[in-house]
Amino acid sequence: ALCINCRSRLKTGDGHLPLITEPTIHIAIVCAGYNASRDVVTLVKSVLFHRRNPLHFHFITDSIARKILADLFHTWMVPAVHVNFYDADELKSEVSWIPNKHYSGIYGLMKLVLTKTLPSDLQKVIVLDTDITFATDIAELWVVFHKFKGQQVLGLVENQSDWYLGNLWKNHRPWPALGRGFNTGVILLLLDRLRKLKWEQMWRLTAERELMSMLSTSLADQDIFNAVIKQNPFLVHQLPCFWNVQLSDHTRSEKCYKDVSDLKVIHWNSPKKLRVKNKHVEFFRNLYLTFLEYDGNLLRRELFGCPSETDHNSENLQKTLSELDEDDPCYEFRRERFTVHRTHVYFLHYEYEPALDNTDVTLVAQLSMDRLQMLEAICKHWEGPISLALYLSDAEAQQFLRYAQGSEVLMSRSNVGYHIVYKEGQFYPVNLLRNVAMGQVNTPYMFLSDIDFLPMYGLYEYLRKSVVQLDMGNTKKALVVPAFETLRYRLSFPKSKAELLSQLDMGTLFTFRYHVWTKGHAPTDFAKWRTATTPYRVQWEADFEPYVMVRRESPEYDRRFVGFGWNKVAHIMELDAQEYEFVVLPNAYMIHMPHAPSFDITKFRSNKQYRACLKTLKEEFQQNMSRRYGFAALKYMTVDNNS
């Protein structure tokens, strides 16, 4: 077949070209938790890379994986891919009675209940473990269903270890299996026939009988599938071993193929994953790493010659983009506002329940690869929850993963949410990143910071006390944390306001942007702050861009501002338009640490067109503000805003 999701032509023996329709291939995957959600992306990439058919993924997930994968697929926007989710928590009672020693836990038993879980009109499905990599088009596996004969309802590859032969060690007693048994990492399920055979009753009776002597499963669903097959060998259509080359301990997979080019599916089914022993392990590892680091944006392509089924989100986006004037010198800026960036929230494990007193606050920031070194320092300065959006390529996301997993400081924290926004386009989408990080805040308040600032020690607790002191729950306030900077790479960080004032007097510290852009923080009134002992209110002025703590429900950042310039100014202006009071905290401070100038600030300084477009976007934003907020917003049109 030449293409997907439309009729294509295949030559018949007589030279005619009959029209055929490509079928949708259905794939079911059980996926629970943060790590499995990350692993399954590599599997999905390998399937998408080779496929020519429409795909329909059926994910059986816990609430964590559902959130992550729903966001990921929504922002990935891959043509001719449908996704459905099924609540694994609702299925737990179906299998929780089975004692199970496998590391996958209760989720390792859920393939047993797919006949009940998946739609009743779904006739067949390919079931995959998350640790699978495809080296060929999954359509080749789908057509194997046509080879099923008689009462065959399960397509499985023989187990490639000696596990079910029971001779691995003294007193090793596996569940009953037919010969070497079968591995359930890849299964072809004929759902309609299984239902007619009363599969549900069949596996339950078998499990109950075997558990009387076995007491628990060692390999989760695989043990029960094999016990059923032992009693009913006619159920199995044995697949060639290249459809599930198992890289587990004690594996015999090397004997099942002659050449690595024969392989179609690789299964990393050892807890050791990429560290297994196999003479071709380097080849396997390289194939896996190729998809791990492969740019997922490339998989958004329409497949050859076939317009995909209408997706309303995609359609609306195309319409919006088509209305932009490509001759506009600021076209690229305007386009960025509508770019949908693939987003993987909670890339690492996250665990945090906000305090019950409704004072809890999350630090929000965004960064790219060149600021990774700030993460450990921020974690040492801020013990509360953190929400970070990281702008990375697929390869950089893996570098970040290795960096984080190698850091004792980062690994000791479970209250940091790392959200990957994948690179696309030529601009750094600073405000989109902030919005992504803000969108994952689960505390009532958020402290909107930047990654190159270190908050003072104890700021987290001080902000929480300020919530009560300033009645934040019943008033609209933005609490300003005064910003300072040092030009020294090695700084003895001030432990108190008195120490900070001393460093300020000595010239070790300066008020932030003192040398280049005083307007940004002048309204904070640093002279007053020096002697202040109680919070004081300040008025909004043009170009004010302080770092503030606000309620979680405060407005998002405006996405039209990308790269350098006016991105925070616009947000503070909107807070003012919504009648937030700006209140400076007398005993709070944060310090900007020095770093090489970003690519975007360099572009701003060197590119006249960049500056001209920023001025245009700024004027358009001010006009939008006056339309949205009426008379009160007229002051934004009249002030002299020289960015």
Side-chain angles (χ1 to χ4, degrees), residues 477-587:
K477 290 190 179 80
L479 304 190
V480 176
V481 176
F484 299 87
E485 69 179 342
T486 178
L487 305 179
R488 302 184 178 191
Y489 280 88
R490 298 180 75 83
L491 172 77
S492 173
F493 199 92
K495 304 280 195 302
S496 65
K497 179 175 178 177
E499 211 175 300
L500 179 137
L501 291 173
S502 167
Q503 291 188 10
L504 208 54
D505 292 338
M506 287 164 52
T508 312
L509 287 178
F510 303 92
T511 55
F512 185 52
R513 292 278 182 260
Y514 169 78
H515 301 87
V516 291
W517 182 242
T518 50
K519 292 175 76 173
H521 294 264
T524 301
D525 195 348
F526 291 102
K528 182 169 184 175
W529 183 83
R530 291 182 73 104
T531 56
T533 54
T534 56
Y536 58 93
R537 187 174 176 184
V538 294
Q539 295 299 317
W540 176 88
E541 292 176 26
D543 299 311
F544 192 28
E545 51 175 3
Y547 293 94
V548 295
M549 181 181 88
V550 289
R551 295 179 193 171
R552 183 175 59 195
E553 301 77 31
S554 69
E556 288 193 328
Y557 287 81
D558 193 293
R559 274 197 63 186
R560 83 187 78 200
F561 298 107
V562 293
F564 177 79
W566 243 66
N567 45 71
K568 283 197 304 293
V569 174
H571 187 246
I572 294 298
M573 185 183 279
E574 184 140 14
L575 288 178
D576 182 64
Q578 292 193 8
E579 300 182 336
Y580 276 73
E581 280 181 46
F582 295 99
V583 178
V584 181
L585 296 172
N587 294 307

Side-chain angles (χ1 to χ4, degrees), residues 135 257-264 266 278 280 283-284:
Y257 60 88
K258 288 180 183 168
D259 191 75
V260 287
S261 61
D262 302 335
L263 303 179
K264 296 182 185 293
I266 294 149
N278 178 292
H280 296 128
F283 173 84
F284 296 136

